Amino acid sequence: MVFQFAIDYLKHRLTANSRHGTHSPFVYKLTDEVIYDFFEKKVYEAIEAQRKKLLNDDKLITVTDLGAGSHLNKNRTKKVSQIAKNALKAPRLAQLIYRLAENQHPSNMIELGTCLGITSAYLAKAQPTAKVLTIEGCPETAAVASQNFADLNLTNIELQVGNFNDLLPKAITNSETLDFVYVDGNHTKEATLNYFNWCLPKIHENSLLIFDDIYWSEGMKEAWQEIKNHPHVTVTVDLFWIGLVYFKKGQAKEHFKIKF
């Protein structure tokens, strides 16, 4: 599986474009101003300081995994530092998700897969007036995330603990529209397509859905292809690590691979 992942990454690097190979004005602007905005921002500092604390936290917790699991560590009892090292999004990617949320100006955000809460914190900081609902399947992991939110004085996050299949449909029902959804959990084809299809009734032309680990497995690659082919989807951006899905009316249907 790791070998195939490396092959997929190499293929992506060979076939993906930079902003200069992108002929869509929308995607060129997105790439130039958001994806390739690698300047350090003051807002990153407190969250990255919290990450460092987690990387040095040797407390043991029991992990409840309701999804596809980890490629790296199958043990149920793990140090917080192990989870922080292996499961948290790297700063470069977490900060990209921050910029995407900041650029999107959502009034509501849903995250599936809180983990230790670092990406949740970036979402909350990106739009302090927006409500961030983050859902985590593991109670002990969620408890660590909740403490991180308190340490960072984040008051616009609602953390729910439970099965995505139970909590996501309720969240969608209770939302008038879905502005920004980040799916980072249960990396199986069936689950990913379920989440996508459940969201569709509440999306609008300015919605953004982000799917994590789109090259995780053959099933995830198939799910990504089905999402791209859906008639409501107009633009997708494949960054290898994540896939961006847009629903802009009047936009020609196009799929882009961008180096990141």
Side-chain angles (χ1 to χ4, degrees):
M1 184 176 287
V2 174
F3 177 75
Q4 184 58 52
F5 189 78
I7 293 296
D8 287 337
Y9 178 73
L10 180 60
K11 288 180 180 177
H12 188 276
R13 295 295 296 181
L14 292 173
T15 56
N17 292 313
S18 67
R19 60 180 172 267
H20 300 298
T22 302
H23 302 297
S24 161
F26 166 69
V27 177
Y28 180 92
K29 189 173 190 293
L30 178 73
T31 305
D32 188 51
E33 298 181 4
V34 180
I35 296 172
Y36 287 172
D37 176 11
F38 296 121
F39 294 101
E40 287 295 321
K41 302 181 191 301
K42 184 73 174 175
V43 70
Y44 298 165
E45 293 177 5
I47 299 175
E48 288 308 312
Q50 199 69 20
R51 183 198 298 270
K52 287 182 181 178
K53 291 181 184 178
L54 295 170
L55 287 166
N56 290 297
D57 186 345
D58 288 334
K59 178 176 64 180
L60 288 170
I61 65 172
T62 299
V63 176
T64 304
D65 189 352
L66 302 178
S70 168
H71 287 334
L72 297 172
N73 190 339
K74 298 292 185 180
N75 296 328
R76 291 192 69 227
T77 301
K78 301 181 184 181
K79 292 180 179 180
V80 171
S81 57
Q82 285 178 295
I83 299 171
K85 179 181 178 182
N86 295 329
L88 287 180
K89 289 291 165 281
R92 190 166 180 265
L93 189 54
Q95 289 160 12
L96 169 60
I97 292 167
Y98 165 90
R99 296 193 300 273
L100 288 165
E102 183 183 44
N103 180 68
Q104 201 71 15
H105 302 294
S107 61
N108 62 75
M109 292 182 265
I110 295 176
E111 176 189 38
L112 292 185
T114 313
C115 193
L116 301 177
I118 291 298
T119 305
S120 319
Y122 272 112
L123 291 175
K125 287 286 190 180
Q127 291 294 329
T129 60
K131 174 188 173 183
V132 179
L133 171 61
T134 184
I135 301 174
E136 172 56 42
C138 172
E140 294 195 24
T141 305
V144 176
S146 183
Q147 185 58 56
N148 288 330
F149 302 154
D151 291 347
L152 291 166
N153 297 312
L154 299 171
T155 58
N156 60 326
I157 299 178
E158 178 186 351
L159 171 58
Q160 295 183 3
V161 181
N163 194 303
F164 295 170
N165 291 346
D166 299 327
L167 297 179
L168 179 59
K170 292 178 184 177
I172 293 170
T173 298
N174 293 332
S175 300
E176 185 175 341
T177 61
L178 296 177
D179 297 341
F180 186 104
V181 180
Y182 173 45
V183 178
D184 181 17
N186 197 350
H187 301 316
T188 64
K189 177 181 179 179
E190 181 182 10
T192 300
L193 290 175
N194 282 341
Y195 305 150
F196 172 74
N197 287 315
W198 292 344
C199 288
L200 285 178
K202 296 295 181 75
I203 59 96
H204 52 87
E205 68 171 324
N206 292 317
S207 297
L208 170 59
L209 304 188
I210 302 177
F211 291 90
D212 198 84
D213 288 325
I214 55 176
Y215 288 88
W216 174 275
S217 63
E218 289 303 313
M220 284 299 294
K221 287 187 283 186
E222 291 169 5
W224 176 242
Q225 190 61 47
E226 287 194 32
I227 289 168
K228 288 166 59 179
N229 291 341
H230 194 280
H232 289 171
V233 171
T234 54
V235 174
T236 66
V237 180
D238 175 349
L239 297 168
F240 186 79
W241 311 105
I242 59 175
L244 314 182
V245 181
Y246 293 93
F247 304 86
K248 295 187 172 296
K249 293 180 180 177
Q251 185 90 21
K253 190 176 184 74
E254 291 184 275
H255 306 298
F256 298 87
K257 286 186 179 181
I258 301 294
K259 290 185 174 74
F260 181 72

